[in-house]
Amino acid sequence: QKRERARPPPPGRGGGGGGGLSTGRLAQLAAFAREMRREPTEPEKRLWSKLSRSQLGGYKFRRQTVIGPFIADFLCPQKALIVEVDGDTHSVESNKARDEALNAMGYSIIRIANHDVRQNIEGVCAAILGALQQAPDRWASPHPNPSPEGEGLSHSQGQSR
């Protein structure tokens, strides 16, 4: 399990969005991410069952999220923490280059082996929670992407509670 702290994004290059990618390439990545969400690996399913619905320390996670030219397995936007579940097909060299690029965009990465998710899910969750607690917040609460429920309505516009 490896955790790296990212640097803030360079001026003029925000922490999200396309990172200079064409609209077509972003659409391809988004479609691939949707497919990956529909057909997760067994370890990804197992870990998502622990990360979804803010179950781990109250932190919100997204799965298979497009970040620049990459798709992150799991992302905690508030902490800019990416959790990657690595199987046998992951190349150490390509992971290193990918991690360096994501660090340059302001993200930290923690890598978890498939075997650890299968054999020690509680230990994996403890490691992720520790990384979350050590990472600084990217923004002040509340989350910048609130639930759309009641979005844009004020009490004077008929929003009832």
Side-chain angles (χ1 to χ4, degrees):
Q1 297 171 356
K2 181 179 174 185
R3 181 176 180 270
E4 299 176 24
R5 184 67 209 145
R7 297 179 301 274
R13 293 189 58 203
L21 297 176
S22 71
T23 304
R25 180 67 180 135
L26 283 174
Q28 286 177 329
L29 284 169
F32 189 48
R34 275 191 302 277
E35 182 181 323
M36 292 170 70
R37 281 191 296 271
R38 281 193 299 267
E39 297 180 22
T41 65
E42 193 55 42
E44 288 171 347
K45 282 184 201 176
R46 233 182 128 127
L47 186 54
W48 182 241
S49 75
K50 301 291 186 180
L51 298 179
S52 64
R53 299 181 309 278
S54 303
Q55 294 177 82
L56 188 64
Y59 294 101
K60 178 180 172 55
F61 276 87
R62 297 178 187 156
R63 62 189 174 120
Q64 305 303 342
T65 300
V66 176
I67 301 172
F70 308 108
I71 299 174
D73 288 342
F74 303 99
L75 167 67
C76 176
Q78 180 181 356
K79 296 291 189 167
L81 181 71
I82 294 170
V83 179
E84 288 292 317
V85 179
D86 291 343
D88 299 332
T89 61
H90 284 256
S91 155
V92 172
E93 281 306 307
S94 65
N95 281 350
K96 182 179 177 190
R98 184 178 190 272
D99 289 356
E100 287 173 0
L102 288 165
N103 285 157
M105 287 186 247
Y107 294 92
S108 297
I109 299 98
I110 183 170
R111 292 192 168 276
I112 309 290
N114 280 347
H115 174 79
D116 291 331
V117 175
R118 287 187 188 109
Q119 302 299 318
N120 185 17
I121 191 70
E122 296 308 319
V124 165
C125 289
I128 295 169
L129 185 58
L132 288 164
Q133 290 169 338
Q134 290 177 4
D137 284 345
R138 286 174 70 192
W139 51 73
S141 295
H143 193 279
N145 297 323
S147 168
E149 181 181 321
E151 185 176 18
L153 294 178
S154 69
H155 291 288
S156 64
Q157 290 174 314
Q159 182 180 10
S160 60
R161 291 210 179 243

